[in-house]
Amino acid sequence: MLKFARNKLVSIYRKDQDRLLAHGVLEDDIYGLEVDVVISIPHLEILSIEGRWKRAENLECPRAIPFLQEAVGFRMGEGFSQKVRKIIGRKACRHFADILLECCDAAKMATHVIRWETEKGKRPDLEFDDFLSEDTGEAT
């Protein structure tokens, strides 16, 4: 019986008041790659990306690394996923596009928590679900 396993892991760190670092790892039976993405909290903008191959299928895979830089400056919003899949997925590698999107999704969730914690200081009774329904995504 054939078996295949893919693992994705994303960790989020707050670098400073205005920036998050997302560290993503994608491992499966064929590929192993990592990416570090610095994202601005106020604008949800990709500030820098660093990618590394741990294990690649062929000698062409490492050529994808320089193309990651084309996503620097992208802001998360409408059409963001399609843009990443088109630019990074096609020019570089769909595996890098997948883990980059996972990192960005995790960072977006983290910014909601950061905004909620700030707002909760002003309104101690504010529940997270209530905050999410009224959050505009603007920086505080």
mmCIF file of all heavy atoms in Angstrom, residues 22-74:
data_model
loop_
_atom_site.group_PDB
_atom_site.id
_atom_site.type_symbol
_atom_site.label_atom_id
_atom_site.label_comp_id
_atom_site.label_asym_id
_atom_site.label_seq_id
_atom_site.Cartn_x
_atom_site.Cartn_y
_atom_site.Cartn_z
ATOM 1 N N ALA A 22 6.922 35.006 10.687
ATOM 2 C CA ALA A 22 6.278 33.710 10.496
ATOM 3 C C ALA A 22 7.333 32.742 9.974
ATOM 4 O O ALA A 22 8.004 33.023 8.981
ATOM 5 C CB ALA A 22 5.127 33.821 9.502
ATOM 6 N N HIS A 23 7.496 31.634 10.681
ATOM 7 C CA HIS A 23 8.425 30.590 10.255
ATOM 8 C C HIS A 23 7.588 29.391 9.843
ATOM 9 O O HIS A 23 6.818 28.852 10.637
ATOM 10 C CB HIS A 23 9.376 30.208 11.388
ATOM 11 C CG HIS A 23 10.287 29.073 11.025
ATOM 12 N ND1 HIS A 23 11.379 29.255 10.201
ATOM 13 C CD2 HIS A 23 10.256 27.758 11.349
ATOM 14 C CE1 HIS A 23 11.985 28.079 10.045
ATOM 15 N NE2 HIS A 23 11.320 27.170 10.726
ATOM 16 N N GLY A 24 7.716 28.996 8.573
ATOM 17 C CA GLY A 24 6.935 27.880 8.056
ATOM 18 C C GLY A 24 7.814 26.742 7.580
ATOM 19 O O GLY A 24 8.874 26.969 6.999
ATOM 20 N N VAL A 25 7.336 25.526 7.851
ATOM 21 C CA VAL A 25 8.037 24.316 7.422
ATOM 22 C C VAL A 25 7.035 23.438 6.681
ATOM 23 O O VAL A 25 5.921 23.220 7.168
ATOM 24 C CB VAL A 25 8.609 23.543 8.633
ATOM 25 C CG1 VAL A 25 9.270 22.245 8.178
ATOM 26 C CG2 VAL A 25 9.573 24.393 9.425
ATOM 27 N N LEU A 26 7.418 22.965 5.510
ATOM 28 C CA LEU A 26 6.624 21.995 4.769
ATOM 29 C C LEU A 26 7.503 20.767 4.553
ATOM 30 O O LEU A 26 8.600 20.878 4.016
ATOM 31 C CB LEU A 26 6.175 22.566 3.428
ATOM 32 C CG LEU A 26 5.238 21.688 2.606
ATOM 33 C CD1 LEU A 26 4.277 22.565 1.812
ATOM 34 C CD2 LEU A 26 5.982 20.770 1.676
ATOM 35 N N GLU A 27 7.034 19.638 5.025
ATOM 36 C CA GLU A 27 7.763 18.377 4.892
ATOM 37 C C GLU A 27 6.819 17.329 4.345
ATOM 38 O O GLU A 27 5.706 17.166 4.843
ATOM 39 C CB GLU A 27 8.265 17.893 6.264
ATOM 40 C CG GLU A 27 9.410 18.665 6.840
ATOM 41 C CD GLU A 27 10.758 18.214 6.302
ATOM 42 O OE1 GLU A 27 10.864 17.102 5.751
ATOM 43 O OE2 GLU A 27 11.699 18.996 6.441
ATOM 44 N N ASP A 28 7.252 16.617 3.334
ATOM 45 C CA ASP A 28 6.527 15.425 2.894
ATOM 46 C C ASP A 28 7.545 14.376 2.480
ATOM 47 O O ASP A 28 8.726 14.507 2.779
ATOM 48 C CB ASP A 28 5.492 15.740 1.810
ATOM 49 C CG ASP A 28 6.078 16.272 0.510
ATOM 50 O OD1 ASP A 28 7.247 15.976 0.191
ATOM 51 O OD2 ASP A 28 5.357 16.968 -0.208
ATOM 52 N N ASP A 29 7.081 13.348 1.825
ATOM 53 C CA ASP A 29 7.983 12.258 1.469
ATOM 54 C C ASP A 29 9.013 12.652 0.406
ATOM 55 O O ASP A 29 10.021 11.983 0.245
ATOM 56 C CB ASP A 29 7.175 11.052 0.970
ATOM 57 C CG ASP A 29 6.310 10.453 2.063
ATOM 58 O OD1 ASP A 29 6.622 10.675 3.249
ATOM 59 O OD2 ASP A 29 5.315 9.777 1.735
ATOM 60 N N ILE A 30 8.752 13.729 -0.306
ATOM 61 C CA ILE A 30 9.641 14.148 -1.390
ATOM 62 C C ILE A 30 10.349 15.457 -1.069
ATOM 63 O O ILE A 30 11.550 15.585 -1.248
ATOM 64 C CB ILE A 30 8.853 14.297 -2.705
ATOM 65 C CG1 ILE A 30 8.183 12.963 -3.066
ATOM 66 C CG2 ILE A 30 9.753 14.776 -3.833
ATOM 67 C CD1 ILE A 30 7.159 13.067 -4.162
ATOM 68 N N TYR A 31 9.581 16.451 -0.605
ATOM 69 C CA TYR A 31 10.102 17.797 -0.399
ATOM 70 C C TYR A 31 10.316 18.115 1.070
ATOM 71 O O TYR A 31 9.619 17.608 1.937
ATOM 72 C CB TYR A 31 9.118 18.843 -0.950
ATOM 73 C CG TYR A 31 8.852 18.704 -2.411
ATOM 74 C CD1 TYR A 31 7.697 18.089 -2.869
ATOM 75 C CD2 TYR A 31 9.748 19.197 -3.334
ATOM 76 C CE1 TYR A 31 7.437 17.965 -4.219
ATOM 77 C CE2 TYR A 31 9.499 19.085 -4.690
ATOM 78 C CZ TYR A 31 8.349 18.467 -5.128
ATOM 79 O OH TYR A 31 8.104 18.346 -6.452
ATOM 80 N N GLY A 32 11.234 19.007 1.309
ATOM 81 C CA GLY A 32 11.419 19.607 2.624
ATOM 82 C C GLY A 32 11.876 21.036 2.411
ATOM 83 O O GLY A 32 12.901 21.264 1.762
ATOM 84 N N LEU A 33 11.102 21.993 2.873
ATOM 85 C CA LEU A 33 11.470 23.388 2.683
ATOM 86 C C LEU A 33 11.010 24.221 3.870
ATOM 87 O O LEU A 33 10.127 23.823 4.612
ATOM 88 C CB LEU A 33 10.923 23.949 1.376
ATOM 89 C CG LEU A 33 9.430 23.811 1.115
ATOM 90 C CD1 LEU A 33 8.760 25.147 1.316
ATOM 91 C CD2 LEU A 33 9.228 23.331 -0.308
ATOM 92 N N GLU A 34 11.673 25.362 4.030
ATOM 93 C CA GLU A 34 11.360 26.295 5.101
ATOM 94 C C GLU A 34 11.281 27.693 4.530
ATOM 95 O O GLU A 34 11.925 27.998 3.526
ATOM 96 C CB GLU A 34 12.450 26.291 6.170
ATOM 97 C CG GLU A 34 12.579 25.007 6.932
ATOM 98 C CD GLU A 34 13.648 25.083 8.017
ATOM 99 O OE1 GLU A 34 13.878 26.190 8.548
ATOM 100 O OE2 GLU A 34 14.230 24.040 8.310
ATOM 101 N N VAL A 35 10.513 28.529 5.219
ATOM 102 C CA VAL A 35 10.402 29.922 4.810
ATOM 103 C C VAL A 35 10.261 30.777 6.073
ATOM 104 O O VAL A 35 9.638 30.369 7.044
ATOM 105 C CB VAL A 35 9.221 30.125 3.831
ATOM 106 C CG1 VAL A 35 7.879 29.916 4.478
ATOM 107 C CG2 VAL A 35 9.273 31.466 3.160
ATOM 108 N N ASP A 36 10.923 31.929 6.054
ATOM 109 C CA ASP A 36 10.774 32.941 7.103
ATOM 110 C C ASP A 36 10.226 34.190 6.435
ATOM 111 O O ASP A 36 10.803 34.694 5.466
ATOM 112 C CB ASP A 36 12.121 33.261 7.762
ATOM 113 C CG ASP A 36 12.607 32.133 8.645
ATOM 114 O OD1 ASP A 36 11.787 31.571 9.400
ATOM 115 O OD2 ASP A 36 13.808 31.802 8.587
ATOM 116 N N VAL A 37 9.107 34.679 6.975
ATOM 117 C CA VAL A 37 8.432 35.827 6.383
ATOM 118 C C VAL A 37 8.236 36.884 7.464
ATOM 119 O O VAL A 37 7.689 36.582 8.523
ATOM 120 C CB VAL A 37 7.049 35.422 5.816
ATOM 121 C CG1 VAL A 37 6.415 36.578 5.067
ATOM 122 C CG2 VAL A 37 7.147 34.203 4.935
ATOM 123 N N VAL A 38 8.680 38.095 7.184
ATOM 124 C CA VAL A 38 8.431 39.215 8.090
ATOM 125 C C VAL A 38 7.245 39.984 7.522
ATOM 126 O O VAL A 38 7.227 40.341 6.344
ATOM 127 C CB VAL A 38 9.667 40.123 8.236
ATOM 128 C CG1 VAL A 38 9.351 41.322 9.122
ATOM 129 C CG2 VAL A 38 10.839 39.330 8.800
ATOM 130 N N ILE A 39 6.249 40.222 8.398
ATOM 131 C CA ILE A 39 4.985 40.832 7.985
ATOM 132 C C ILE A 39 4.694 42.028 8.883
ATOM 133 O O ILE A 39 4.822 41.933 10.108
ATOM 134 C CB ILE A 39 3.848 39.796 8.072
ATOM 135 C CG1 ILE A 39 4.152 38.638 7.115
ATOM 136 C CG2 ILE A 39 2.492 40.425 7.774
ATOM 137 C CD1 ILE A 39 3.364 37.397 7.363
ATOM 138 N N SER A 40 4.280 43.130 8.271
ATOM 139 C CA SER A 40 3.922 44.308 9.070
ATOM 140 C C SER A 40 2.556 44.076 9.699
ATOM 141 O O SER A 40 1.638 43.585 9.045
ATOM 142 C CB SER A 40 3.912 45.579 8.226
ATOM 143 O OG SER A 40 2.793 45.611 7.376
ATOM 144 N N ILE A 41 2.453 44.419 10.965
ATOM 145 C CA ILE A 41 1.176 44.257 11.666
ATOM 146 C C ILE A 41 0.152 45.277 11.178
ATOM 147 O O ILE A 41 -0.987 44.909 10.883
ATOM 148 C CB ILE A 41 1.384 44.346 13.199
ATOM 149 C CG1 ILE A 41 2.196 43.138 13.678
ATOM 150 C CG2 ILE A 41 0.044 44.413 13.930
ATOM 151 C CD1 ILE A 41 2.638 43.198 15.127
ATOM 152 N N PRO A 42 0.515 46.547 11.047
ATOM 153 C CA PRO A 42 -0.517 47.513 10.672
ATOM 154 C C PRO A 42 -1.096 47.296 9.277
ATOM 155 O O PRO A 42 -2.277 47.502 9.064
ATOM 156 C CB PRO A 42 0.190 48.869 10.734
ATOM 157 C CG PRO A 42 1.487 48.662 11.395
ATOM 158 C CD PRO A 42 1.789 47.198 11.326
ATOM 159 N N HIS A 43 -0.265 46.870 8.323
ATOM 160 C CA HIS A 43 -0.720 46.815 6.931
ATOM 161 C C HIS A 43 -0.847 45.405 6.378
ATOM 162 O O HIS A 43 -1.256 45.240 5.231
ATOM 163 C CB HIS A 43 0.227 47.618 6.040
ATOM 164 C CG HIS A 43 0.425 49.020 6.505
ATOM 165 N ND1 HIS A 43 -0.575 49.958 6.493
ATOM 166 C CD2 HIS A 43 1.503 49.634 7.036
ATOM 167 C CE1 HIS A 43 -0.118 51.093 6.984
ATOM 168 N NE2 HIS A 43 1.140 50.923 7.328
ATOM 169 N N LEU A 44 -0.462 44.396 7.170
ATOM 170 C CA LEU A 44 -0.430 43.008 6.686
ATOM 171 C C LEU A 44 0.307 42.926 5.347
ATOM 172 O O LEU A 44 -0.162 42.346 4.372
ATOM 173 C CB LEU A 44 -1.842 42.427 6.583
ATOM 174 C CG LEU A 44 -2.535 42.177 7.907
ATOM 175 C CD1 LEU A 44 -3.978 41.746 7.690
ATOM 176 C CD2 LEU A 44 -1.797 41.138 8.737
ATOM 177 N N GLU A 45 1.483 43.519 5.334
ATOM 178 C CA GLU A 45 2.322 43.563 4.139
ATOM 179 C C GLU A 45 3.557 42.696 4.349
ATOM 180 O O GLU A 45 4.155 42.711 5.421
ATOM 181 C CB GLU A 45 2.759 45.003 3.878
ATOM 182 C CG GLU A 45 3.663 45.167 2.678
ATOM 183 C CD GLU A 45 4.085 46.609 2.468
ATOM 184 O OE1 GLU A 45 3.531 47.515 3.103
ATOM 185 O OE2 GLU A 45 4.983 46.832 1.651
ATOM 186 N N ILE A 46 3.929 41.949 3.319
ATOM 187 C CA ILE A 46 5.141 41.133 3.375
ATOM 188 C C ILE A 46 6.338 42.069 3.240
ATOM 189 O O ILE A 46 6.489 42.759 2.227
ATOM 190 C CB ILE A 46 5.155 40.064 2.269
ATOM 191 C CG1 ILE A 46 4.002 39.084 2.477
ATOM 192 C CG2 ILE A 46 6.498 39.335 2.246
ATOM 193 C CD1 ILE A 46 3.821 38.072 1.363
ATOM 194 N N LEU A 47 7.183 42.086 4.270
ATOM 195 C CA LEU A 47 8.351 42.965 4.272
ATOM 196 C C LEU A 47 9.613 42.259 3.795
ATOM 197 O O LEU A 47 10.484 42.879 3.199
ATOM 198 C CB LEU A 47 8.580 43.533 5.682
ATOM 199 C CG LEU A 47 7.421 44.340 6.264
ATOM 200 C CD1 LEU A 47 7.727 44.742 7.705
ATOM 201 C CD2 LEU A 47 7.133 45.563 5.408
ATOM 202 N N SER A 48 9.725 40.965 4.098
ATOM 203 C CA SER A 48 10.872 40.190 3.615
ATOM 204 C C SER A 48 10.539 38.709 3.641
ATOM 205 O O SER A 48 9.684 38.272 4.400
ATOM 206 C CB SER A 48 12.131 40.466 4.451
ATOM 207 O OG SER A 48 11.984 39.937 5.751
ATOM 208 N N ILE A 49 11.231 37.968 2.789
ATOM 209 C CA ILE A 49 11.053 36.511 2.701
ATOM 210 C C ILE A 49 12.421 35.880 2.533
ATOM 211 O O ILE A 49 13.244 36.351 1.738
ATOM 212 C CB ILE A 49 10.201 36.088 1.490
ATOM 213 C CG1 ILE A 49 8.836 36.771 1.513
ATOM 214 C CG2 ILE A 49 10.037 34.570 1.438
ATOM 215 C CD1 ILE A 49 8.022 36.536 0.260
ATOM 216 N N GLU A 50 12.628 34.805 3.256
ATOM 217 C CA GLU A 50 13.833 33.994 3.084
ATOM 218 C C GLU A 50 13.384 32.535 3.006
ATOM 219 O O GLU A 50 12.696 32.050 3.898
ATOM 220 C CB GLU A 50 14.773 34.195 4.270
ATOM 221 C CG GLU A 50 16.068 33.423 4.139
ATOM 222 C CD GLU A 50 16.951 33.603 5.361
ATOM 223 O OE1 GLU A 50 16.960 34.696 5.942
ATOM 224 O OE2 GLU A 50 17.622 32.616 5.714
ATOM 225 N N GLY A 51 13.764 31.865 1.943
ATOM 226 C CA GLY A 51 13.391 30.463 1.769
ATOM 227 C C GLY A 51 14.607 29.562 1.702
ATOM 228 O O GLY A 51 15.684 30.000 1.292
ATOM 229 N N ARG A 52 14.420 28.324 2.129
ATOM 230 C CA ARG A 52 15.494 27.333 2.102
ATOM 231 C C ARG A 52 14.930 25.964 1.727
ATOM 232 O O ARG A 52 13.884 25.568 2.206
ATOM 233 C CB ARG A 52 16.144 27.213 3.494
ATOM 234 C CG ARG A 52 16.899 28.424 3.927
ATOM 235 C CD ARG A 52 17.323 28.355 5.387
ATOM 236 N NE ARG A 52 16.230 28.269 6.343
ATOM 237 C CZ ARG A 52 15.401 29.271 6.669
ATOM 238 N NH1 ARG A 52 15.515 30.427 6.068
ATOM 239 N NH2 ARG A 52 14.469 29.107 7.563
ATOM 240 N N TRP A 53 15.673 25.264 0.904
ATOM 241 C CA TRP A 53 15.355 23.863 0.616
ATOM 242 C C TRP A 53 16.120 22.985 1.594
ATOM 243 O O TRP A 53 17.308 23.175 1.806
ATOM 244 C CB TRP A 53 15.794 23.478 -0.797
ATOM 245 C CG TRP A 53 14.841 23.943 -1.848
ATOM 246 C CD1 TRP A 53 15.006 25.031 -2.653
ATOM 247 C CD2 TRP A 53 13.593 23.368 -2.191
ATOM 248 N NE1 TRP A 53 13.927 25.163 -3.488
ATOM 249 C CE2 TRP A 53 13.041 24.136 -3.230
ATOM 250 C CE3 TRP A 53 12.873 22.264 -1.741
ATOM 251 C CZ2 TRP A 53 11.819 23.859 -3.810
ATOM 252 C CZ3 TRP A 53 11.657 21.989 -2.317
ATOM 253 C CH2 TRP A 53 11.140 22.775 -3.341
ATOM 254 N N LYS A 54 15.441 22.050 2.175
ATOM 255 C CA LYS A 54 16.103 21.027 2.984
ATOM 256 C C LYS A 54 16.242 19.748 2.147
ATOM 257 O O LYS A 54 17.208 19.025 2.264
ATOM 258 C CB LYS A 54 15.291 20.752 4.248
ATOM 259 C CG LYS A 54 15.307 21.939 5.208
ATOM 260 C CD LYS A 54 14.327 21.833 6.342
ATOM 261 C CE LYS A 54 14.452 20.551 7.110
ATOM 262 N NZ LYS A 54 13.451 20.443 8.185
ATOM 263 N N ARG A 55 15.232 19.521 1.311
ATOM 264 C CA ARG A 55 15.232 18.340 0.441
ATOM 265 C C ARG A 55 14.374 18.667 -0.781
ATOM 266 O O ARG A 55 13.254 19.128 -0.652
ATOM 267 C CB ARG A 55 14.632 17.152 1.211
ATOM 268 C CG ARG A 55 14.758 15.841 0.521
ATOM 269 C CD ARG A 55 14.239 14.679 1.395
ATOM 270 N NE ARG A 55 12.849 14.814 1.777
ATOM 271 C CZ ARG A 55 12.405 15.274 2.947
ATOM 272 N NH1 ARG A 55 13.241 15.671 3.862
ATOM 273 N NH2 ARG A 55 11.122 15.366 3.213
ATOM 274 N N ALA A 56 14.920 18.481 -1.964
ATOM 275 C CA ALA A 56 14.214 18.806 -3.198
ATOM 276 C C ALA A 56 14.120 17.567 -4.086
ATOM 277 O O ALA A 56 14.924 16.649 -3.974
ATOM 278 C CB ALA A 56 14.935 19.922 -3.932
ATOM 279 N N GLU A 57 13.137 17.596 -4.975
ATOM 280 C CA GLU A 57 12.913 16.460 -5.867
ATOM 281 C C GLU A 57 13.987 16.378 -6.949
ATOM 282 O O GLU A 57 14.392 15.292 -7.340
ATOM 283 C CB GLU A 57 11.537 16.590 -6.513
ATOM 284 C CG GLU A 57 11.234 15.478 -7.483
ATOM 285 C CD GLU A 57 9.891 15.651 -8.160
ATOM 286 O OE1 GLU A 57 9.385 16.773 -8.240
ATOM 287 O OE2 GLU A 57 9.375 14.637 -8.635
ATOM 288 N N ASN A 58 14.421 17.532 -7.433
ATOM 289 C CA ASN A 58 15.383 17.538 -8.539
ATOM 290 C C ASN A 58 16.285 18.759 -8.440
ATOM 291 O O ASN A 58 16.124 19.599 -7.569
ATOM 292 C CB ASN A 58 14.644 17.491 -9.888
ATOM 293 C CG ASN A 58 13.701 18.655 -10.048
ATOM 294 O OD1 ASN A 58 14.090 19.806 -9.904
ATOM 295 N ND2 ASN A 58 12.438 18.359 -10.342
ATOM 296 N N LEU A 59 17.194 18.874 -9.356
ATOM 297 C CA LEU A 59 18.145 19.982 -9.345
ATOM 298 C C LEU A 59 17.534 21.316 -9.758
ATOM 299 O O LEU A 59 18.139 22.364 -9.559
ATOM 300 C CB LEU A 59 19.332 19.651 -10.244
ATOM 301 C CG LEU A 59 20.172 18.457 -9.795
ATOM 302 C CD1 LEU A 59 21.250 18.149 -10.816
ATOM 303 C CD2 LEU A 59 20.797 18.728 -8.435
ATOM 304 N N GLU A 60 16.330 21.296 -10.332
ATOM 305 C CA GLU A 60 15.664 22.529 -10.746
ATOM 306 C C GLU A 60 14.992 23.244 -9.578
ATOM 307 O O GLU A 60 14.777 24.447 -9.616
ATOM 308 C CB GLU A 60 14.611 22.227 -11.822
ATOM 309 C CG GLU A 60 15.190 21.760 -13.137
ATOM 310 C CD GLU A 60 16.049 22.848 -13.768
ATOM 311 O OE1 GLU A 60 15.590 23.998 -13.879
ATOM 312 O OE2 GLU A 60 17.194 22.547 -14.139
ATOM 313 N N CYS A 61 14.658 22.519 -8.518
ATOM 314 C CA CYS A 61 13.922 23.111 -7.389
ATOM 315 C C CYS A 61 14.616 24.325 -6.763
ATOM 316 O O CYS A 61 13.954 25.323 -6.501
ATOM 317 C CB CYS A 61 13.641 22.053 -6.327
ATOM 318 S SG CYS A 61 12.439 20.797 -6.841
ATOM 319 N N PRO A 62 15.921 24.299 -6.530
ATOM 320 C CA PRO A 62 16.562 25.454 -5.893
ATOM 321 C C PRO A 62 16.455 26.759 -6.678
ATOM 322 O O PRO A 62 16.601 27.834 -6.113
ATOM 323 C CB PRO A 62 18.023 25.019 -5.750
ATOM 324 C CG PRO A 62 17.952 23.533 -5.663
ATOM 325 C CD PRO A 62 16.829 23.148 -6.608
ATOM 326 N N ARG A 63 16.171 26.693 -7.966
ATOM 327 C CA ARG A 63 16.026 27.918 -8.764
ATOM 328 C C ARG A 63 14.823 28.744 -8.316
ATOM 329 O O ARG A 63 14.704 29.913 -8.649
ATOM 330 C CB ARG A 63 15.921 27.601 -10.248
ATOM 331 C CG ARG A 63 14.606 26.990 -10.647
ATOM 332 C CD ARG A 63 14.446 26.830 -12.160
ATOM 333 N NE ARG A 63 13.167 26.250 -12.464
ATOM 334 C CZ ARG A 63 12.001 26.901 -12.412
ATOM 335 N NH1 ARG A 63 11.967 28.161 -12.087
ATOM 336 N NH2 ARG A 63 10.875 26.290 -12.700
ATOM 337 N N ALA A 64 13.947 28.160 -7.506
ATOM 338 C CA ALA A 64 12.742 28.856 -7.054
ATOM 339 C C ALA A 64 13.029 29.938 -6.016
ATOM 340 O O ALA A 64 12.266 30.897 -5.886
ATOM 341 C CB ALA A 64 11.752 27.845 -6.466
ATOM 342 N N ILE A 65 14.115 29.806 -5.289
ATOM 343 C CA ILE A 65 14.396 30.697 -4.158
ATOM 344 C C ILE A 65 14.389 32.187 -4.544
ATOM 345 O O ILE A 65 13.727 32.982 -3.882
ATOM 346 C CB ILE A 65 15.731 30.313 -3.473
ATOM 347 C CG1 ILE A 65 15.694 28.871 -2.995
ATOM 348 C CG2 ILE A 65 16.087 31.293 -2.374
ATOM 349 C CD1 ILE A 65 15.075 28.618 -1.674
ATOM 350 N N PRO A 66 15.079 32.623 -5.592
ATOM 351 C CA PRO A 66 15.082 34.060 -5.913
ATOM 352 C C PRO A 66 13.692 34.618 -6.246
ATOM 353 O O PRO A 66 13.423 35.787 -5.990
ATOM 354 C CB PRO A 66 16.010 34.169 -7.125
ATOM 355 C CG PRO A 66 16.846 32.941 -7.088
ATOM 356 C CD PRO A 66 16.004 31.879 -6.452
ATOM 357 N N PHE A 67 12.811 33.787 -6.789
ATOM 358 C CA PHE A 67 11.475 34.264 -7.165
ATOM 359 C C PHE A 67 10.607 34.600 -5.956
ATOM 360 O O PHE A 67 9.609 35.313 -6.089
ATOM 361 C CB PHE A 67 10.761 33.235 -8.049
ATOM 362 C CG PHE A 67 11.348 33.127 -9.422
ATOM 363 C CD1 PHE A 67 12.142 32.044 -9.762
ATOM 364 C CD2 PHE A 67 11.121 34.111 -10.376
ATOM 365 C CE1 PHE A 67 12.697 31.940 -11.024
ATOM 366 C CE2 PHE A 67 11.669 34.023 -11.638
ATOM 367 C CZ PHE A 67 12.462 32.930 -11.968
ATOM 368 N N LEU A 68 10.978 34.122 -4.774
ATOM 369 C CA LEU A 68 10.222 34.460 -3.576
ATOM 370 C C LEU A 68 10.209 35.968 -3.333
ATOM 371 O O LEU A 68 9.249 36.513 -2.787
ATOM 372 C CB LEU A 68 10.805 33.752 -2.347
ATOM 373 C CG LEU A 68 10.704 32.239 -2.325
ATOM 374 C CD1 LEU A 68 11.444 31.677 -1.122
ATOM 375 C CD2 LEU A 68 9.246 31.799 -2.317
ATOM 376 N N GLN A 69 11.267 36.639 -3.758
ATOM 377 C CA GLN A 69 11.370 38.081 -3.532
ATOM 378 C C GLN A 69 10.290 38.874 -4.264
ATOM 379 O O GLN A 69 10.008 40.017 -3.911
ATOM 380 C CB GLN A 69 12.767 38.581 -3.916
ATOM 381 C CG GLN A 69 13.885 37.944 -3.126
ATOM 382 C CD GLN A 69 13.615 37.938 -1.624
ATOM 383 O OE1 GLN A 69 13.361 38.981 -1.033
ATOM 384 N NE2 GLN A 69 13.674 36.766 -1.015
ATOM 385 N N GLU A 70 9.671 38.262 -5.260
ATOM 386 C CA GLU A 70 8.617 38.967 -5.997
ATOM 387 C C GLU A 70 7.374 39.187 -5.148
ATOM 388 O O GLU A 70 6.531 40.015 -5.490
ATOM 389 C CB GLU A 70 8.288 38.218 -7.289
ATOM 390 C CG GLU A 70 9.434 38.252 -8.273
ATOM 391 C CD GLU A 70 9.069 37.759 -9.647
ATOM 392 O OE1 GLU A 70 7.877 37.826 -10.022
ATOM 393 O OE2 GLU A 70 9.991 37.313 -10.356
ATOM 394 N N ALA A 71 7.253 38.462 -4.028
ATOM 395 C CA ALA A 71 6.096 38.641 -3.148
ATOM 396 C C ALA A 71 6.324 39.727 -2.092
ATOM 397 O O ALA A 71 5.390 40.104 -1.394
ATOM 398 C CB ALA A 71 5.743 37.325 -2.470
ATOM 399 N N VAL A 72 7.547 40.222 -1.970
ATOM 400 C CA VAL A 72 7.819 41.304 -1.019
ATOM 401 C C VAL A 72 7.013 42.523 -1.462
ATOM 402 O O VAL A 72 7.034 42.916 -2.631
ATOM 403 C CB VAL A 72 9.327 41.624 -0.937
ATOM 404 C CG1 VAL A 72 9.579 42.865 -0.099
ATOM 405 C CG2 VAL A 72 10.086 40.433 -0.370
ATOM 406 N N GLY A 73 6.284 43.098 -0.519
ATOM 407 C CA GLY A 73 5.423 44.236 -0.813
ATOM 408 C C GLY A 73 3.964 43.861 -0.997
ATOM 409 O O GLY A 73 3.099 44.738 -0.987
ATOM 410 N N PHE A 74 3.662 42.579 -1.159
ATOM 411 C CA PHE A 74 2.266 42.156 -1.282
ATOM 412 C C PHE A 74 1.544 42.429 0.033
ATOM 413 O O PHE A 74 2.095 42.213 1.111
ATOM 414 C CB PHE A 74 2.144 40.660 -1.552
ATOM 415 C CG PHE A 74 2.493 40.216 -2.952
ATOM 416 C CD1 PHE A 74 3.030 41.081 -3.877
ATOM 417 C CD2 PHE A 74 2.287 38.905 -3.321
ATOM 418 C CE1 PHE A 74 3.360 40.649 -5.153
ATOM 419 C CE2 PHE A 74 2.606 38.461 -4.593
ATOM 420 C CZ PHE A 74 3.131 39.335 -5.514
#
